[in-house]
Amino acid sequence: MTHIALDAIVKNFGAVRVLDGCSVAVDKGTVMTLLGPSGCGKTTLLRTLAGFVEPDAGRVRVGDRDITDLPPNRRQVGYVFQSYALFPHLDVAANVAYGLRVRRVGRAETQERVRKALDLVSLSAFADRYPARLSGGQQQRVAIARAMVLEPEVLLLDEPFNALDAKLRLSMQIELRKLIERVGITSIFVTHDQQEAMTLSDRVAVMRAGRIEQVGTPIEIYDRPRTAYVAAFIGRANVLAVDVAAGRVVADPAIAAARPDGPAWLVARPENLTLEPGGEGAGWRGTVAFSTPQGATIEYEVATGAPEPLRVVTLRKVGEPPLPVGTPVRVRAVDPAACVVLEDGPDGA
Amino acid sequence: MSRRLSPIDRVGRVVLGALAAFSLLLLVAPSIIVVAISFEPRGFISFPPSGFSLRWYEHVFANRQLTDSVVVSLWVSLATAAIALVLGVPAAFASVRGTFAGRSAANAFLLSPQMMPGMVIGIASLFFGAYFAFRASNTMLILALSVFCLPFVIRIAMARLAGLDPRLDEASANLGAGKLETFARVTLPQMGPALVAAAAFTFIEAFDNVTVALFTSDVRGRPLPVELYYLVQYDSSPAIAAISALEIGLSFAIMLVIARTVGLERLGR
């Protein structure tokens, strides 16, 4: 059941169109990630939902209510800022209590709810600390508690892990995912980190230049990217210029493609390619240009004469050295059906 | 740290130190001399004083006209600080956060009294008041001084406001607070030290302002600076020095209180 619906949102900042008819729907109790490079409009879309940005066109709905014209303070939408935006003059408990005080909730109930919220994020011992004396991870948890204590219908998080170091980031991501599942709150994340999107979300919306490029589960997006842009943004991908004739990609061996004849683009993940030494036989021919053993795998770059080298990741056996640079090799798809054939190439080519 | 200084650096340091000492001397010496003179036991000004006496302080406190003028000045300064704060803070808020047309023009207008000599404001107030049959009075003095001091408050408040994170306002709105409540709960508390500074500077400025007060103050209940101005014309006793020393003491006390409560280094922020 759709809980949050952003419908054809348009927003211009001066002459720049930041959102160009963005539509996203999020089901109740699920986690959606808005994923895209900086400047793609993902934060603006989130801010539109919170009411900080007034859209030039389009509607915002939560549940069965149209909240497009509601000011931010009358929306039941929790927001966790990238910088956390904790009130520096208030201690942790007062930060969390802020929304309850504004709502004139009684003293006893406020105390009880603040206590529970701090429990939820394991910060009970820090209730009387000031934000300046908390670590980044603790500040983030205060920001989450401050939003959650109001029991909002929706939780929005703008790059909440950006300010954390890599090690803390992963554990906080998992913690937050668990917390969201426990509370069952519909959530939208904004991130430019595809790994984070994979860890946190039920569904991912990949954004590009103010538009939604593709929406799907993380696995759908990874396995079946609809455009070369999506393929390159989620994980790594080889995007090859090919020709389609009679429902097949003209290659050796041929790959099935439900596309009209003509030029097309083949998307193949590095782990779906394999290589064999020797210049004779089926496959793309080339020479090893670069190789790095990664422990469990070996990553190759194979020069084929195309502008971009082919990236190939193969499993490595114990003791196996990588093929030396300059070795002639043939590259083939492990599972041709797992390759994706697209009509549009990178940058709309 | 400074083990190997080049000769130029060394000369530079000496020159810098000398300049700093000289500036400090220029700033502080007159005050020290005034304080010293105030302890002169004889009936005329001399430096160094010929002895130590508190007789001129007794004289000042016994002078009803002078003590009355101190009371007038205290009231005038308090009222001026209050008005300048009440008008200046919202004006600064509008100047920093506002998005209306003509914002920078309005800001320049509000800051313009700073470009004008106090005398001009004094005379202008007098003429303007005369036009409406509004006589020179301490009410007029308070209004004129408020105009004169408004830029101080606006500048200090603007500097502080510009340093505040606008995300905090959004966070407050997101948590359900309206604009006024956000201002009261988030913006004002964070401006606290800056507002104390603005109030203190306004108070001190209003307390010892002569130029504006000379033209606008009441003929009978004169404020201290004007009273002093007239006193100097026929009295050359160390009483003047005693009053000045008391004023120095007052400014010093205010700064001390601020230093102890908010901290001087936080004033600018």
Side-chain angles (χ1 to χ4, degrees), chain B residues 80-93 110 143 146-147 150 153-154:
Chain B
T80 301
I83 292 176
L85 222 54
V86 166
L87 294 180
V89 173
F93 194 78
L110 286 168
L143 293 179
S146 300
V147 171
L150 199 56
V153 175
I154 294 181

Side-chain angles (χ1 to χ4, degrees), chain B residues 59-186:
Chain B
H59 177 87
V60 165
F61 284 111
N63 185 335
R64 187 62 195 278
Q65 213 173 338
L66 276 178
T67 50
D68 281 355
S69 73
V70 169
V71 174
V72 169
S73 271
L74 284 176
W75 277 117
V76 165
S77 311
L78 276 178
T80 301
I83 292 176
L85 222 54
V86 166
L87 294 180
V89 173
F93 194 78
S95 294
V96 174
R97 296 278 170 83
T99 50
F100 54 94
R103 185 179 60 131
S104 54
N107 184 237
F109 174 71
L110 286 168
L111 290 177
S112 64
Q114 210 170 37
M115 320 291 167
M116 253 182 274
M119 217 164 72
V120 173
I121 291 180
I123 294 173
S125 303
L126 193 64
F127 286 2
F128 185 71
Y131 189 77
F132 295 102
F134 182 36
R135 278 192 319 137
S137 66
N138 286 330
T139 310
M140 184 189 274
L141 173 61
I142 289 168
L143 293 179
L145 279 177
S146 300
V147 171
F148 187 61
C149 293
L150 199 56
F152 290 109
V153 175
I154 294 181
R155 270 186 189 283
I156 294 174
M158 276 180 75
R160 180 64 185 128
L161 273 170
L164 293 185
D165 183 0
R167 296 272 182 265
L168 296 181
D169 289 34
E170 289 181 351
S172 173
N174 179 253
L175 295 167
K179 288 200 165 133
L180 265 179
E181 194 160 12
T182 296
F183 184 75
R185 282 183 186 270
V186 176

Side-chain angles (χ1 to χ4, degrees), chain A:
Chain A
M1 188 183 71
T2 299
H3 189 195
I4 305 171
L6 290 148
D7 195 12
I9 304 291
V10 175
K11 180 67 190 175
N12 301 301
F13 287 140
V16 182
R17 176 154 289 200
V18 183
L19 295 176
D20 190 13
C22 253
S23 298
V24 189
V26 187
D27 285 349
K28 199 170 178 69
T30 63
V31 181
M32 166 76 86
T33 294
L34 302 177
L35 178 67
S38 58
C40 72
K42 56 194 191 302
T43 294
T44 306
L45 193 61
L46 201 71
R47 289 169 59 78
T48 305
L49 188 44
F52 304 142
V53 169
E54 283 178 50
D56 297 334
R59 308 306 296 175
V60 182
R61 276 182 207 86
V62 173
D64 47 15
R65 281 202 309 159
D66 186 320
I67 63 165
T68 318
D69 301 319
L70 232 51
N73 57 321
R74 296 189 43 218
R75 301 185 180 196
Q76 306 288 318
V77 170
Y79 199 100
V80 175
F81 291 82
Q82 189 174 352
S83 57
Y84 312 135
L86 300 180
F87 303 121
H89 61 294
L90 301 177
D91 65 18
V92 167
N95 261 284
V96 176
Y98 188 91
L100 299 170
R101 298 240 163 91
V102 168
R103 284 168 176 71
R104 312 278 184 265
V105 173
R107 183 180 287 263
E109 190 191 337
T110 300
Q111 275 183 2
E112 180 59 19
R113 283 171 71 174
V114 168
R115 195 184 60 74
K116 278 190 184 154
L118 287 179
D119 255 5
L120 195 69
V121 294
S122 323
L123 273 182
S124 305
F126 295 87
D128 50 7
R129 286 260 191 112
Y130 281 84
R133 296 199 47 229
L134 297 177
S135 71
Q138 289 165 343
Q139 288 186 28
Q140 187 205 43
R141 284 186 278 158
V142 175
I144 291 167
R146 186 175 69 173
M148 295 292 250
V149 77
L150 299 174
E151 292 162 10
E153 299 173 56
V154 168
L155 185 64
L156 309 179
L157 303 103
D158 182 11
E159 310 227 11
F161 304 103
N162 244 15
L164 305 181
D165 60 67
K167 207 169 159 190
L168 187 59
R169 194 175 296 183
L170 190 64
S171 69
M172 287 302 290
Q173 283 169 5
I174 294 168
E175 281 302 308
L176 189 56
R177 181 73 226 233
K178 284 186 196 158
L179 176 68
I180 286 172
E181 265 167 27
R182 206 166 351 135
V183 183
I185 186 170
T186 312
S187 309
I188 303 184
F189 274 92
V190 155
T191 184
H192 62 265
D193 180 344
Q194 50 115 351
Q195 187 62 52
E196 195 171 304
M198 294 276 197
T199 311
L200 285 168
S201 31
D202 297 309
R203 287 162 76 75
V204 176
V206 181
M207 286 187 69
R208 175 191 198 180
R211 286 171 167 278
I212 305 283
E213 191 96 341
Q214 186 173 357
V215 184
T217 66
I219 287 177
E220 275 168 19
I221 301 253
Y222 187 83
D223 288 349
R224 293 285 147 200
R226 206 173 291 152
T227 65
Y229 173 86
V230 173
F233 204 83
I234 306 268
R236 293 188 303 168
N238 296 294
V239 182
L240 301 163
V242 291
D243 280 305
V244 173
R248 293 183 161 265
V249 172
V250 181
D252 183 20
I255 295 167
R259 297 279 165 188
D261 291 359
W265 300 85
L266 181 74
V267 177
R269 298 285 180 192
E271 69 274 13
N272 190 29
L273 294 179
T274 186
L275 51 73
E276 288 167 36
E280 300 303 313
W284 291 286
R285 291 185 185 82
T287 56
V288 173
F290 192 72
S291 65
T292 31
Q294 299 277 324
T297 58
I298 305 174
E299 301 201 15
Y300 288 103
E301 284 185 10
V302 177
T304 58
E308 288 285 309
L310 279 177
R311 287 171 205 285
V312 182
V313 173
T314 61
L315 283 174
R316 180 177 160 273
K317 292 189 198 78
V318 174
E320 179 191 346
L323 294 173
V325 170
T327 311
V329 289
R330 286 169 293 123
V331 178
R332 282 193 299 167
V334 179
D335 176 9
C339 294
V340 178
V341 181
L342 303 168
E343 274 153 60
D344 294 325
D347 302 320

